[in-house]
Amino acid sequence: EGAFSEYALAWTDSIALKPETLSFVEAAAVPLTGITVMQAFDDHAPPPWQPSETAESSLSTTRSRRISQHVQHAGTVLVLGASGGTGYMAVQLAKARNLHVTAVCSSKNEAFVKALGADVILAYDQVDVVEVLLAGEKFDMVFDSVTSVDAADTNYQAKLQSVVTGTYVHFGGPVIDWGRAHVWRYLGLDLFPKGTRLFWIRFPGSGGVLSRLAELCDTPDETVSLKVNVSKTFPLTTSGVQAAFAEQMTRRAVGKIVIDLDLSKGDS
């Protein structure tokens, strides 16, 4: 019963070989967020970024500063929640597509996100992120892994809808958005406000996406290789799963939380 188990049945077109360079724990951290991000980018990502000679990777220090990217407009992506389990994957897969990435995270995770390849980083505990973004150039895509119906999460969608010229992709929303998502998936009717999409991961036939992710994990090319960061591991026990969800709800996990079957051996 429940979503966690030692064994599971899966369609053959939803299975791929484990990346050779990853442990089983690391590999377990890839499918959910990796498929989510890859499918979102396949559906909504802009064309690749072509840098100009004056491309900048940092911002000025004035409070009224603008994000002056000095790049061709095509290929710019804003990632909100860039150090979390989905956001950190989005930064890397965006860079693998040669997109220009502006990332939002806390100052303590700035170095982590920079190492993932982000071109511009905004630390939400040091600057007014909304003010800076509204004063800057628009993005071709916003990847919002923060906004949800939970009051503990910042509602960026309500404040930043105007900064995107393409699609604003988010993953949490009110019941009406899930209703729109059902209509879009099963009837093909788009009832979302223009430029907005509540993304719904598609597992059937995802083996091809998993294989692409495995290739990125195993590639020796450091400029596009996918780095997996396991924030914490917990055993497959009642208390272990409860602790894993408690850790998730802190909103402070850097990378992905994993349930490790090996930690459960010997537990009653």
Side-chain angles (χ1 to χ4, degrees), residues 75-106:
T76 57
V77 177
L78 170 65
V79 178
L80 302 170
S83 62
T86 304
Y88 98 101
M89 191 73 72
V91 172
Q92 296 184 83
L93 292 178
K95 294 308 299 178
R97 290 171 180 257
N98 200 28
L99 301 176
H100 185 276
V101 177
T102 296
V104 175
C105 63
S106 68

Side-chain angles (χ1 to χ4, degrees), residues 92 96 116 215-227:
Q92 296 184 83
L116 299 176
E215 290 177 4
L216 288 173
C217 290
D218 288 340
T219 180
D221 185 351
E222 285 294 321
T223 62
V224 296
S225 64
L226 190 61
K227 303 173 183 64

Side-chain angles (χ1 to χ4, degrees), residues 55-70:
E56 295 180 351
S57 62
S58 61
L59 304 174
S60 63
T61 57
T62 61
R63 179 175 175 78
S64 61
R65 60 195 172 182
R66 296 168 63 88
I67 297 180
S68 182
Q69 296 165 331
H70 299 295

Side-chain angles (χ1 to χ4, degrees), residues 2 6 59 64 124-125 147 156 195 204 221 223 237 250:
E6 294 162 314
L59 304 174
S64 61
Y124 63 77
D125 53 347
T147 299
Y156 282 118
D221 185 351
T223 62
T237 60
T250 67

